[in-house]
Amino acid sequence: MDGQSGICRGSLPKSVLLLTAALAAGCTAVGDHVPGAPEHHRQHGFANPSGAIGTDPLEFLYDRTRLAVAGAEDSSAPALSSQDAAEAWAESGASDAVQWLGHATVRLRLAGEVLLVDPVFADYVTPLPPFGPPRATPPPLLPADLTDIGAIIVSHDHYDHFEPASINAIAAGSGASCFLPLLIAEDEGLKCSLVELDWGDTAELGPVRASLQPAQHESGRGLFDRDQSLWGAWLIEGGGKRVYISGDGGYGPHLAALGEASGGLDLAILSVGGYEPRRYNQALHMNPEEAVRAFQDLRARRALIVNWGTYPLGTENVRESLEALRSAAAEAGLAPDALIFLAIGETILF
């Protein structure tokens, strides 16, 4: 560990990572609160608003190994062809609209501005492809097709939400700016105009305001950088409408706090996937019942459900998961159309 920065360094061979995982806990601990800084700022990273913690390093390594070697059921979502996906977006004109491009990748138009959320197009979401979760459904559109993007927003740095090569390709073709939580961009070679935000900070794109909100999750692209960059959700406001984007995150009181502060939302984009086994994911990902409670806490009019049917990141059965969502919504007395399930590439107005 670097005594001045508190950041763990080294170049252990991959073959000994299993033997050193137990030592990683000391290396990745974020430390105590930084005096005078916001509560979630720690000496060597960041912490959740509720104090919840994710997996310890041994559990994290076990779960990542499971993803790398375990076979997964067919978890593909229905998808439009490339032509139909492009035409669907074009037909939405200048209206407020949202298009699901698979997993957590969403194209959003609000007040005439277009934002792209967590663009990931890889065949595998892992640092060592092909060892890791494979893409079950090909993307209908690729970075070269996304030339209308004004800003790219990122929720956190996990491989299924943050793909620097795709971000650079999209920014090169569209001139998009990049809005990211603190420290994600370090050493990633991003070639866009960077705006780095803390929780509560706001960036602007024309008449649209994008503010980074607290979320209950974690960060890290390996064993030795756990929680050293910030994660978050996003509140997008423009033209009198509000859209919430959860990114990955567990259920917690921060959701009701935002719902009360915002006065309600026109659309919530909620990630529901990778929540089993609960032993490893309870603090990090919402299950169907928690997602419905989150919808109610946020005071949203409707919710688009994403983060499923693209990469097999959990042990839950996708079809059973969707049925569980519909059942929980019905038990809560939600309107039949309150939860939205799209085909990959599909566009709707809101």
Side-chain angles (χ1 to χ4, degrees), residues 38-41 46-50 155 181-182 197-202 211-217 230-233:
E39 177 59 30
H40 61 286
H41 284 236
F46 301 93
N48 277 311
S50 64
S155 61
L182 293 175
L197 295 87
D198 198 354
W199 290 346
D201 289 347
T202 298
S211 58
L212 187 66
Q213 300 293 321
Q216 184 175 294
H217 199 52
L230 187 59
W231 55 91

PDB file of all heavy atoms in Angstrom, residues 38-41 46-50 155 181-182 197-202 211-217 230-233:
ATOM      1  N   PRO A  38     -18.057  15.339   2.815  1.00  0.00           N
ATOM      2  CA  PRO A  38     -19.357  14.661   2.922  1.00  0.00           C
ATOM      3  C   PRO A  38     -19.207  13.291   3.552  1.00  0.00           C
ATOM      4  O   PRO A  38     -18.152  12.654   3.466  1.00  0.00           O
ATOM      5  CB  PRO A  38     -19.808  14.566   1.452  1.00  0.00           C
ATOM      6  CG  PRO A  38     -19.124  15.704   0.768  1.00  0.00           C
ATOM      7  CD  PRO A  38     -17.787  15.823   1.450  1.00  0.00           C
ATOM      8  N   GLU A  39     -20.277  12.792   4.158  1.00  0.00           N
ATOM      9  CA  GLU A  39     -20.222  11.565   4.939  1.00  0.00           C
ATOM     10  C   GLU A  39     -19.763  10.361   4.124  1.00  0.00           C
ATOM     11  O   GLU A  39     -19.107   9.457   4.654  1.00  0.00           O
ATOM     12  CB  GLU A  39     -21.599  11.276   5.564  1.00  0.00           C
ATOM     13  CG  GLU A  39     -21.684   9.971   6.352  1.00  0.00           C
ATOM     14  CD  GLU A  39     -20.703   9.887   7.511  1.00  0.00           C
ATOM     15  OE1 GLU A  39     -20.363  10.950   8.082  1.00  0.00           O
ATOM     16  OE2 GLU A  39     -20.280   8.757   7.835  1.00  0.00           O
ATOM     17  N   HIS A  40     -20.066  10.325   2.834  1.00  0.00           N
ATOM     18  CA  HIS A  40     -19.706   9.155   2.031  1.00  0.00           C
ATOM     19  C   HIS A  40     -18.254   9.172   1.568  1.00  0.00           C
ATOM     20  O   HIS A  40     -17.792   8.212   0.966  1.00  0.00           O
ATOM     21  CB  HIS A  40     -20.634   9.021   0.816  1.00  0.00           C
ATOM     22  CG  HIS A  40     -20.588  10.177  -0.128  1.00  0.00           C
ATOM     23  ND1 HIS A  40     -21.161  11.398   0.155  1.00  0.00           N
ATOM     24  CD2 HIS A  40     -20.041  10.317  -1.369  1.00  0.00           C
ATOM     25  CE1 HIS A  40     -20.972  12.233  -0.855  1.00  0.00           C
ATOM     26  NE2 HIS A  40     -20.301  11.608  -1.796  1.00  0.00           N
ATOM     27  N   HIS A  41     -17.515  10.239   1.857  1.00  0.00           N
ATOM     28  CA  HIS A  41     -16.096  10.314   1.505  1.00  0.00           C
ATOM     29  C   HIS A  41     -15.265   9.663   2.607  1.00  0.00           C
ATOM     30  O   HIS A  41     -15.364  10.024   3.771  1.00  0.00           O
ATOM     31  CB  HIS A  41     -15.663  11.774   1.339  1.00  0.00           C
ATOM     32  CG  HIS A  41     -16.112  12.395   0.062  1.00  0.00           C
ATOM     33  ND1 HIS A  41     -15.256  12.979  -0.839  1.00  0.00           N
ATOM     34  CD2 HIS A  41     -17.356  12.515  -0.491  1.00  0.00           C
ATOM     35  CE1 HIS A  41     -15.925  13.445  -1.875  1.00  0.00           C
ATOM     36  NE2 HIS A  41     -17.208  13.175  -1.681  1.00  0.00           N
ATOM     37  N   PHE A  46     -14.994   5.552  -1.004  1.00  0.00           N
ATOM     38  CA  PHE A  46     -16.341   6.040  -0.758  1.00  0.00           C
ATOM     39  C   PHE A  46     -17.164   4.966  -0.060  1.00  0.00           C
ATOM     40  O   PHE A  46     -16.832   3.783  -0.099  1.00  0.00           O
ATOM     41  CB  PHE A  46     -17.008   6.444  -2.081  1.00  0.00           C
ATOM     42  CG  PHE A  46     -16.243   7.510  -2.822  1.00  0.00           C
ATOM     43  CD1 PHE A  46     -15.308   7.162  -3.781  1.00  0.00           C
ATOM     44  CD2 PHE A  46     -16.425   8.849  -2.529  1.00  0.00           C
ATOM     45  CE1 PHE A  46     -14.577   8.137  -4.462  1.00  0.00           C
ATOM     46  CE2 PHE A  46     -15.705   9.831  -3.190  1.00  0.00           C
ATOM     47  CZ  PHE A  46     -14.783   9.476  -4.156  1.00  0.00           C
ATOM     48  N   ALA A  47     -18.263   5.403   0.575  1.00  0.00           N
ATOM     49  CA  ALA A  47     -19.136   4.493   1.311  1.00  0.00           C
ATOM     50  C   ALA A  47     -20.587   4.752   0.944  1.00  0.00           C
ATOM     51  O   ALA A  47     -20.940   5.819   0.421  1.00  0.00           O
ATOM     52  CB  ALA A  47     -18.940   4.667   2.817  1.00  0.00           C
ATOM     53  N   ASN A  48     -21.442   3.785   1.222  1.00  0.00           N
ATOM     54  CA  ASN A  48     -22.858   3.903   0.914  1.00  0.00           C
ATOM     55  C   ASN A  48     -23.577   4.843   1.874  1.00  0.00           C
ATOM     56  O   ASN A  48     -23.157   5.000   3.026  1.00  0.00           O
ATOM     57  CB  ASN A  48     -23.521   2.524   0.948  1.00  0.00           C
ATOM     58  CG  ASN A  48     -23.338   1.772  -0.359  1.00  0.00           C
ATOM     59  OD1 ASN A  48     -23.583   2.314  -1.426  1.00  0.00           O
ATOM     60  ND2 ASN A  48     -22.896   0.531  -0.268  1.00  0.00           N
ATOM     61  N   PRO A  49     -24.692   5.453   1.419  1.00  0.00           N
ATOM     62  CA  PRO A  49     -25.412   6.400   2.283  1.00  0.00           C
ATOM     63  C   PRO A  49     -25.966   5.749   3.539  1.00  0.00           C
ATOM     64  O   PRO A  49     -26.064   6.392   4.578  1.00  0.00           O
ATOM     65  CB  PRO A  49     -26.547   6.912   1.380  1.00  0.00           C
ATOM     66  CG  PRO A  49     -26.684   5.900   0.299  1.00  0.00           C
ATOM     67  CD  PRO A  49     -25.316   5.341   0.090  1.00  0.00           C
ATOM     68  N   SER A  50     -26.339   4.460   3.459  1.00  0.00           N
ATOM     69  CA  SER A  50     -26.907   3.757   4.608  1.00  0.00           C
ATOM     70  C   SER A  50     -25.852   3.061   5.438  1.00  0.00           C
ATOM     71  O   SER A  50     -26.157   2.479   6.482  1.00  0.00           O
ATOM     72  CB  SER A  50     -27.911   2.709   4.113  1.00  0.00           C
ATOM     73  OG  SER A  50     -27.230   1.734   3.339  1.00  0.00           O
ATOM     74  N   SER A 155     -23.058   5.348 -14.490  1.00  0.00           N
ATOM     75  CA  SER A 155     -23.476   5.173 -13.098  1.00  0.00           C
ATOM     76  C   SER A 155     -22.337   4.689 -12.205  1.00  0.00           C
ATOM     77  O   SER A 155     -22.244   5.096 -11.046  1.00  0.00           O
ATOM     78  CB  SER A 155     -24.646   4.201 -13.002  1.00  0.00           C
ATOM     79  OG  SER A 155     -24.278   2.914 -13.489  1.00  0.00           O
ATOM     80  N   PRO A 181     -19.342   9.856 -12.192  1.00  0.00           N
ATOM     81  CA  PRO A 181     -19.020  10.021 -10.779  1.00  0.00           C
ATOM     82  C   PRO A 181     -17.515  10.191 -10.570  1.00  0.00           C
ATOM     83  O   PRO A 181     -16.703   9.816 -11.421  1.00  0.00           O
ATOM     84  CB  PRO A 181     -19.528   8.712 -10.154  1.00  0.00           C
ATOM     85  CG  PRO A 181     -20.557   8.204 -11.109  1.00  0.00           C
ATOM     86  CD  PRO A 181     -20.057   8.598 -12.458  1.00  0.00           C
ATOM     87  N   LEU A 182     -17.143  10.697  -9.419  1.00  0.00           N
ATOM     88  CA  LEU A 182     -15.762  11.012  -9.111  1.00  0.00           C
ATOM     89  C   LEU A 182     -14.830   9.811  -9.284  1.00  0.00           C
ATOM     90  O   LEU A 182     -15.147   8.695  -8.884  1.00  0.00           O
ATOM     91  CB  LEU A 182     -15.651  11.502  -7.665  1.00  0.00           C
ATOM     92  CG  LEU A 182     -16.309  12.841  -7.328  1.00  0.00           C
ATOM     93  CD1 LEU A 182     -16.216  13.100  -5.825  1.00  0.00           C
ATOM     94  CD2 LEU A 182     -15.692  13.983  -8.119  1.00  0.00           C
ATOM     95  N   LEU A 197     -18.615  14.338 -11.179  1.00  0.00           N
ATOM     96  CA  LEU A 197     -19.582  14.816 -10.197  1.00  0.00           C
ATOM     97  C   LEU A 197     -19.554  14.002  -8.916  1.00  0.00           C
ATOM     98  O   LEU A 197     -19.316  12.795  -8.930  1.00  0.00           O
ATOM     99  CB  LEU A 197     -21.002  14.756 -10.773  1.00  0.00           C
ATOM    100  CG  LEU A 197     -21.334  15.661 -11.958  1.00  0.00           C
ATOM    101  CD1 LEU A 197     -20.986  15.000 -13.271  1.00  0.00           C
ATOM    102  CD2 LEU A 197     -22.807  16.031 -11.953  1.00  0.00           C
ATOM    103  N   ASP A 198     -19.835  14.683  -7.827  1.00  0.00           N
ATOM    104  CA  ASP A 198     -20.095  14.066  -6.529  1.00  0.00           C
ATOM    105  C   ASP A 198     -21.613  13.989  -6.362  1.00  0.00           C
ATOM    106  O   ASP A 198     -22.369  14.604  -7.120  1.00  0.00           O
ATOM    107  CB  ASP A 198     -19.473  14.916  -5.423  1.00  0.00           C
ATOM    108  CG  ASP A 198     -19.304  14.163  -4.111  1.00  0.00           C
ATOM    109  OD1 ASP A 198     -19.774  13.010  -4.000  1.00  0.00           O
ATOM    110  OD2 ASP A 198     -18.708  14.746  -3.176  1.00  0.00           O
ATOM    111  N   TRP A 199     -22.074  13.228  -5.364  1.00  0.00           N
ATOM    112  CA  TRP A 199     -23.502  13.195  -5.093  1.00  0.00           C
ATOM    113  C   TRP A 199     -24.012  14.610  -4.815  1.00  0.00           C
ATOM    114  O   TRP A 199     -23.434  15.361  -4.020  1.00  0.00           O
ATOM    115  CB  TRP A 199     -23.784  12.329  -3.873  1.00  0.00           C
ATOM    116  CG  TRP A 199     -23.541  10.863  -4.135  1.00  0.00           C
ATOM    117  CD1 TRP A 199     -23.366  10.236  -5.319  1.00  0.00           C
ATOM    118  CD2 TRP A 199     -23.451   9.844  -3.130  1.00  0.00           C
ATOM    119  NE1 TRP A 199     -23.174   8.889  -5.142  1.00  0.00           N
ATOM    120  CE2 TRP A 199     -23.222   8.611  -3.807  1.00  0.00           C
ATOM    121  CE3 TRP A 199     -23.539   9.841  -1.737  1.00  0.00           C
ATOM    122  CZ2 TRP A 199     -23.085   7.407  -3.123  1.00  0.00           C
ATOM    123  CZ3 TRP A 199     -23.396   8.640  -1.058  1.00  0.00           C
ATOM    124  CH2 TRP A 199     -23.175   7.437  -1.753  1.00  0.00           C
ATOM    125  N   GLY A 200     -25.071  14.974  -5.511  1.00  0.00           N
ATOM    126  CA  GLY A 200     -25.656  16.299  -5.359  1.00  0.00           C
ATOM    127  C   GLY A 200     -25.174  17.301  -6.387  1.00  0.00           C
ATOM    128  O   GLY A 200     -25.777  18.369  -6.534  1.00  0.00           O
ATOM    129  N   ASP A 201     -24.104  16.989  -7.111  1.00  0.00           N
ATOM    130  CA  ASP A 201     -23.611  17.891  -8.155  1.00  0.00           C
ATOM    131  C   ASP A 201     -24.473  17.772  -9.413  1.00  0.00           C
ATOM    132  O   ASP A 201     -25.085  16.736  -9.674  1.00  0.00           O
ATOM    133  CB  ASP A 201     -22.166  17.566  -8.521  1.00  0.00           C
ATOM    134  CG  ASP A 201     -21.175  17.945  -7.438  1.00  0.00           C
ATOM    135  OD1 ASP A 201     -21.562  18.683  -6.513  1.00  0.00           O
ATOM    136  OD2 ASP A 201     -20.024  17.481  -7.510  1.00  0.00           O
ATOM    137  N   THR A 202     -24.474  18.840 -10.206  1.00  0.00           N
ATOM    138  CA  THR A 202     -25.307  18.910 -11.402  1.00  0.00           C
ATOM    139  C   THR A 202     -24.485  19.336 -12.603  1.00  0.00           C
ATOM    140  O   THR A 202     -23.626  20.212 -12.503  1.00  0.00           O
ATOM    141  CB  THR A 202     -26.469  19.899 -11.203  1.00  0.00           C
ATOM    142  OG1 THR A 202     -27.306  19.436 -10.136  1.00  0.00           O
ATOM    143  CG2 THR A 202     -27.313  20.033 -12.461  1.00  0.00           C
ATOM    144  N   SER A 211     -28.246  15.448 -12.464  1.00  0.00           N
ATOM    145  CA  SER A 211     -27.634  15.500 -11.135  1.00  0.00           C
ATOM    146  C   SER A 211     -27.366  14.090 -10.638  1.00  0.00           C
ATOM    147  O   SER A 211     -28.208  13.186 -10.775  1.00  0.00           O
ATOM    148  CB  SER A 211     -28.521  16.262 -10.140  1.00  0.00           C
ATOM    149  OG  SER A 211     -29.792  15.670 -10.032  1.00  0.00           O
ATOM    150  N   LEU A 212     -26.180  13.903 -10.073  1.00  0.00           N
ATOM    151  CA  LEU A 212     -25.790  12.611  -9.536  1.00  0.00           C
ATOM    152  C   LEU A 212     -26.395  12.447  -8.147  1.00  0.00           C
ATOM    153  O   LEU A 212     -26.269  13.333  -7.305  1.00  0.00           O
ATOM    154  CB  LEU A 212     -24.272  12.487  -9.475  1.00  0.00           C
ATOM    155  CG  LEU A 212     -23.721  11.116  -9.096  1.00  0.00           C
ATOM    156  CD1 LEU A 212     -24.039  10.084 -10.163  1.00  0.00           C
ATOM    157  CD2 LEU A 212     -22.214  11.181  -8.856  1.00  0.00           C
ATOM    158  N   GLN A 213     -27.033  11.296  -7.928  1.00  0.00           N
ATOM    159  CA  GLN A 213     -27.754  11.032  -6.688  1.00  0.00           C
ATOM    160  C   GLN A 213     -27.118   9.871  -5.921  1.00  0.00           C
ATOM    161  O   GLN A 213     -26.472   9.004  -6.512  1.00  0.00           O
ATOM    162  CB  GLN A 213     -29.215  10.696  -7.002  1.00  0.00           C
ATOM    163  CG  GLN A 213     -29.962  11.790  -7.725  1.00  0.00           C
ATOM    164  CD  GLN A 213     -30.147  13.019  -6.867  1.00  0.00           C
ATOM    165  OE1 GLN A 213     -30.409  12.921  -5.660  1.00  0.00           O
ATOM    166  NE2 GLN A 213     -30.005  14.197  -7.474  1.00  0.00           N
ATOM    167  N   PRO A 214     -27.310   9.815  -4.610  1.00  0.00           N
ATOM    168  CA  PRO A 214     -26.801   8.677  -3.849  1.00  0.00           C
ATOM    169  C   PRO A 214     -27.405   7.366  -4.336  1.00  0.00           C
ATOM    170  O   PRO A 214     -28.566   7.311  -4.766  1.00  0.00           O
ATOM    171  CB  PRO A 214     -27.262   8.983  -2.414  1.00  0.00           C
ATOM    172  CG  PRO A 214     -27.445  10.466  -2.384  1.00  0.00           C
ATOM    173  CD  PRO A 214     -27.940  10.839  -3.752  1.00  0.00           C
ATOM    174  N   ALA A 215     -26.620   6.315  -4.280  1.00  0.00           N
ATOM    175  CA  ALA A 215     -27.077   4.960  -4.588  1.00  0.00           C
ATOM    176  C   ALA A 215     -26.362   3.999  -3.655  1.00  0.00           C
ATOM    177  O   ALA A 215     -25.281   4.305  -3.138  1.00  0.00           O
ATOM    178  CB  ALA A 215     -26.794   4.605  -6.045  1.00  0.00           C
ATOM    179  N   GLN A 216     -26.961   2.857  -3.443  1.00  0.00           N
ATOM    180  CA  GLN A 216     -26.380   1.847  -2.550  1.00  0.00           C
ATOM    181  C   GLN A 216     -25.761   0.747  -3.407  1.00  0.00           C
ATOM    182  O   GLN A 216     -26.439  -0.150  -3.878  1.00  0.00           O
ATOM    183  CB  GLN A 216     -27.462   1.276  -1.639  1.00  0.00           C
ATOM    184  CG  GLN A 216     -26.938   0.279  -0.615  1.00  0.00           C
ATOM    185  CD  GLN A 216     -28.013  -0.154   0.339  1.00  0.00           C
ATOM    186  OE1 GLN A 216     -28.502   0.653   1.123  1.00  0.00           O
ATOM    187  NE2 GLN A 216     -28.408  -1.424   0.264  1.00  0.00           N
ATOM    188  N   HIS A 217     -24.460   0.841  -3.631  1.00  0.00           N
ATOM    189  CA  HIS A 217     -23.796  -0.128  -4.489  1.00  0.00           C
ATOM    190  C   HIS A 217     -22.322  -0.203  -4.097  1.00  0.00           C
ATOM    191  O   HIS A 217     -21.954  -0.029  -2.929  1.00  0.00           O
ATOM    192  CB  HIS A 217     -23.985   0.258  -5.947  1.00  0.00           C
ATOM    193  CG  HIS A 217     -23.739  -0.877  -6.908  1.00  0.00           C
ATOM    194  ND1 HIS A 217     -24.352  -2.092  -6.775  1.00  0.00           N
ATOM    195  CD2 HIS A 217     -22.937  -0.970  -8.005  1.00  0.00           C
ATOM    196  CE1 HIS A 217     -23.953  -2.890  -7.746  1.00  0.00           C
ATOM    197  NE2 HIS A 217     -23.080  -2.240  -8.496  1.00  0.00           N
ATOM    198  N   LEU A 230     -16.403   6.608  -7.179  1.00  0.00           N
ATOM    199  CA  LEU A 230     -17.777   6.802  -6.708  1.00  0.00           C
ATOM    200  C   LEU A 230     -18.773   6.126  -7.649  1.00  0.00           C
ATOM    201  O   LEU A 230     -18.483   5.898  -8.822  1.00  0.00           O
ATOM    202  CB  LEU A 230     -18.071   8.304  -6.610  1.00  0.00           C
ATOM    203  CG  LEU A 230     -19.402   8.714  -5.968  1.00  0.00           C
ATOM    204  CD1 LEU A 230     -19.515   8.187  -4.535  1.00  0.00           C
ATOM    205  CD2 LEU A 230     -19.554  10.240  -5.991  1.00  0.00           C
ATOM    206  N   TRP A 231     -19.932   5.793  -7.146  1.00  0.00           N
ATOM    207  CA  TRP A 231     -21.051   5.251  -7.912  1.00  0.00           C
ATOM    208  C   TRP A 231     -22.261   6.140  -7.648  1.00  0.00           C
ATOM    209  O   TRP A 231     -22.260   6.967  -6.743  1.00  0.00           O
ATOM    210  CB  TRP A 231     -21.334   3.808  -7.485  1.00  0.00           C
ATOM    211  CG  TRP A 231     -21.566   3.659  -6.014  1.00  0.00           C
ATOM    212  CD1 TRP A 231     -22.753   3.711  -5.335  1.00  0.00           C
ATOM    213  CD2 TRP A 231     -20.553   3.482  -5.002  1.00  0.00           C
ATOM    214  NE1 TRP A 231     -22.555   3.567  -3.978  1.00  0.00           N
ATOM    215  CE2 TRP A 231     -21.220   3.417  -3.747  1.00  0.00           C
ATOM    216  CE3 TRP A 231     -19.160   3.357  -5.037  1.00  0.00           C
ATOM    217  CZ2 TRP A 231     -20.525   3.245  -2.549  1.00  0.00           C
ATOM    218  CZ3 TRP A 231     -18.477   3.187  -3.842  1.00  0.00           C
ATOM    219  CH2 TRP A 231     -19.159   3.131  -2.615  1.00  0.00           C
ATOM    220  N   GLY A 232     -23.320   5.978  -8.420  1.00  0.00           N
ATOM    221  CA  GLY A 232     -24.485   6.804  -8.167  1.00  0.00           C
ATOM    222  C   GLY A 232     -25.628   6.520  -9.116  1.00  0.00           C
ATOM    223  O   GLY A 232     -25.500   5.775 -10.088  1.00  0.00           O
ATOM    224  N   ALA A 233     -26.766   7.106  -8.810  1.00  0.00           N
ATOM    225  CA  ALA A 233     -27.928   7.143  -9.686  1.00  0.00           C
ATOM    226  C   ALA A 233     -27.993   8.541 -10.304  1.00  0.00           C
ATOM    227  O   ALA A 233     -27.211   9.430  -9.936  1.00  0.00           O
ATOM    228  CB  ALA A 233     -29.195   6.839  -8.893  1.00  0.00           C
TER     229      ALA A 233
END
